[in-house]
Amino acid sequence: MSRVATAFAALVANAIVAAAACAADGSGRNVILVTLDGVRIQELFSGMDATIAADDARSGAEDIAVTRKRYWRDTPEERRAALMPWFWGTLAPSGMVLGNQSRGSKVTVRNPLWFSYPGYSEILTGQPQPDVLSNDLVRYPHETVLDYIHRKLGLGLTEVAQIGSWDGFKMAASRADGTFFMHGAFEPVPAALSTPEMDVLAALRGEVMEVWEESSNDTLTFRIALAYLRKHQPRVLWLGLGQSDDWAHARRYDLVLEYLHLVDSQLAELWRTLQSLDRYRDRTTLIITTDHGRGRTPVDWIDHDTGIQGSQDIWIAILGPDTPAMGEASDFPDVTQSDVAATMLQYLGLDYRDFNAAAGPPVPRSFIPR
Ligand SMILES: [Zn+2]
């Protein structure tokens, strides 16, 4: 081997070592957390639910025959693929999906309240927080995983971001105002960070009517997040969407399903966008989960709260370069909502015990050091 070739070989070897170290310490890795409010395991794992579909009146569907035609199939596998084709056709085979209790994988919330703010607080702080007892729009003093990442990695204001359709997301994201970019339901994007596209989208939120006044439209939120990703390329983004909960509370099962079908296409677009950007391609983990489940019966599927059985049952999906292509978990250790924060941190090379000694551990087998 010539001296040039030897030097070149040494360079290549160094590059390989550097690349391995890069993955191990999480530098250059990114994490995107998407939460879909109140999405039940029944729809996620089995598509259109036989129990609800069998009770036309209590489904609240405008025309259940149309809904059946679109989403009813003979088997749960066919139904969920019809409902969420990207999730089941692309994410699941390349990543991992936890929470299908019929296959021996259980994910539950640990907080006893089974509604939104306690759930988001548990996701973001790694444990149930005894003082989070309502959905009131207030901050709590607990450091969140977003706060911790921002502090520990010394990231700038735009490098950690929260964008969501409900102001509760903005409150739950950090223990303090202004820690990093946090975007509520109806506010404009600050001029220094905005683009004309973001301005139009943010303004439209005030014109598009929603079921509940406190939430803005998820598609607009999603598109603001996508524009923000392209422009500012944050290391960590939490995208909080909520219409799955709204349509269920309104007892419109047809629109719950239409919404899940729509959000599936948006998740596909998000993933395609990530893979099209140098910053994110092959170095970004997508984690998708929910804050709570809902009731299991034709009467109470619309609701969730302490005592409404089924509200405690949730799911977690992970797709990324450090996660095995495990598919749907079966005969898997029990996992809880408290384990999401530590799972996020491991992809960034951070130790959850330094974040919160009481936090749940990372999801088992969700990280393969390379
Ligand atoms: Zn709700």
Side-chain angles (χ1 to χ4, degrees), residues 190-268:
L193 304 180
S194 196
T195 62
E197 182 191 6
M198 283 191 251
D199 289 341
V200 169
L201 293 166
L204 277 172
R205 289 169 131 189
E207 297 182 32
V208 175
M209 285 178 66
E210 285 307 312
V211 189
W212 316 116
E213 276 186 12
E214 62 184 26
S215 297
S216 55
N217 180 273
D218 276 349
T219 290
L220 297 172
T221 300
F222 168 73
R223 304 236 159 259
I224 291 170
L226 217 52
Y228 185 93
L229 262 183
R230 287 200 196 91
K231 167 93 176 161
H232 298 290
Q233 309 211 343
R235 289 287 301 279
V236 178
L237 168 71
W238 171 30
L239 169 60
L241 302 177
Q243 283 177 268
S244 33
D245 191 63
D246 299 348
W247 292 125
H249 281 302
R251 197 181 283 283
R252 284 296 300 269
Y253 195 61
D254 49 347
L255 298 183
V256 169
L257 298 183
E258 292 302 336
Y259 176 80
L260 290 174
H261 191 63
L262 171 65
V263 95
D264 178 77
S265 72
Q266 293 173 338
L267 291 169

Side-chain angles (χ1 to χ4, degrees), residues 37 245 249 292 294 304:
D37 200 295
D245 191 63
H249 281 302
H292 54 72
R294 334 185 65 82
H304 57 87

Side-chain angles (χ1 to χ4, degrees), residues 39-360:
V39 172
R40 306 193 311 164
I41 57 173
Q42 286 85 344
E43 279 72 37
L44 193 86
F45 291 104
S46 305
M48 187 175 183
D49 184 25
T51 309
I52 297 175
D55 191 332
D56 287 16
R58 288 204 173 101
S59 78
E62 184 70 25
D63 186 343
I64 194 76
V66 170
T67 306
R68 280 207 188 93
K69 188 158 188 250
R70 285 183 188 157
Y71 300 116
W72 184 259
R73 305 289 185 272
D74 289 341
T75 68
E77 289 75 18
E78 291 171 294
R79 290 199 294 277
R80 71 191 189 186
L83 185 65
M84 302 183 76
W86 180 80
F87 189 97
W88 288 108
T90 299
L91 181 151
S94 309
M96 58 198 296
V97 184
L98 302 102
N100 191 346
Q101 297 184 8
S102 69
R103 292 185 188 232
S105 170
K106 192 171 186 179
V107 187
T108 50
V109 305
R110 281 175 61 209
N111 77 76
L113 298 175
W114 306 354
F115 58 84
S116 286
Y117 204 138
Y120 292 113
S121 181
E122 182 174 340
I123 290 169
L124 294 166
T125 68
Q127 63 171 106
Q129 295 292 354
D131 55 346
V132 179
L133 298 168
S134 76
N135 278 343
D136 293 352
L137 300 178
V138 294
R139 293 195 189 280
Y140 292 87
H142 320 293
E143 183 172 51
T144 70
V145 70
L146 304 177
D147 288 328
Y148 176 79
I149 293 165
H150 178 261
R151 173 171 70 83
K152 198 72 184 175
L153 298 181
L155 298 176
L157 191 72
T158 60
E159 291 178 291
V160 174
Q162 169 273 320
I163 296 171
S165 301
W166 173 49
D167 285 340
F169 298 134
K170 182 173 175 175
M171 295 295 114
S174 174
R175 60 184 172 184
D177 291 333
T179 314
F180 44 80
F181 178 67
M182 288 177 267
H183 193 57
F186 291 103
E187 62 202 9
V189 179
L193 304 180
S194 196
T195 62
E197 182 191 6
M198 283 191 251
D199 289 341
V200 169
L201 293 166
L204 277 172
R205 289 169 131 189
E207 297 182 32
V208 175
M209 285 178 66
E210 285 307 312
V211 189
W212 316 116
E213 276 186 12
E214 62 184 26
S215 297
S216 55
N217 180 273
D218 276 349
T219 290
L220 297 172
T221 300
F222 168 73
R223 304 236 159 259
I224 291 170
L226 217 52
Y228 185 93
L229 262 183
R230 287 200 196 91
K231 167 93 176 161
H232 298 290
Q233 309 211 343
R235 289 287 301 279
V236 178
L237 168 71
W238 171 30
L239 169 60
L241 302 177
Q243 283 177 268
S244 33
D245 191 63
D246 299 348
W247 292 125
H249 281 302
R251 197 181 283 283
R252 284 296 300 269
Y253 195 61
D254 49 347
L255 298 183
V256 169
L257 298 183
E258 292 302 336
Y259 176 80
L260 290 174
H261 191 63
L262 171 65
V263 95
D264 178 77
S265 72
Q266 293 173 338
L267 291 169
E269 186 178 349
L270 171 63
W271 187 248
R272 279 198 308 273
T273 302
L274 292 169
Q275 295 308 311
S276 74
L277 298 168
D278 290 343
R279 169 71 183 254
Y280 293 110
R281 185 184 312 112
D282 298 334
R283 47 169 91 174
T284 302
T285 295
L286 175 63
I287 302 179
I288 313 169
T289 188
T290 189
D291 54 333
H292 54 72
R294 334 185 65 82
R296 297 170 181 144
T297 73
V299 174
D300 67 9
W301 67 270
I302 67 168
D303 286 325
H304 57 87
D305 215 331
T306 307
I308 297 180
Q309 290 305 314
S311 307
Q312 70 274 48
D313 298 330
I314 61 164
W315 49 272
I316 299 172
I318 310 172
L319 176 63
D322 304 313
T323 301
M326 199 182 82
E328 195 174 6
S330 57
D331 300 322
F332 202 78
D334 287 354
V335 166
T336 80
Q337 188 166 54
S338 296
D339 305 344
V340 174
T343 304
M344 292 171 68
L345 289 172
Q346 70 184 349
Y347 299 119
L348 299 168
L350 298 171
D351 184 347
Y352 74 97
R353 288 157 294 200
D354 180 53
F355 158 58
N356 175 5

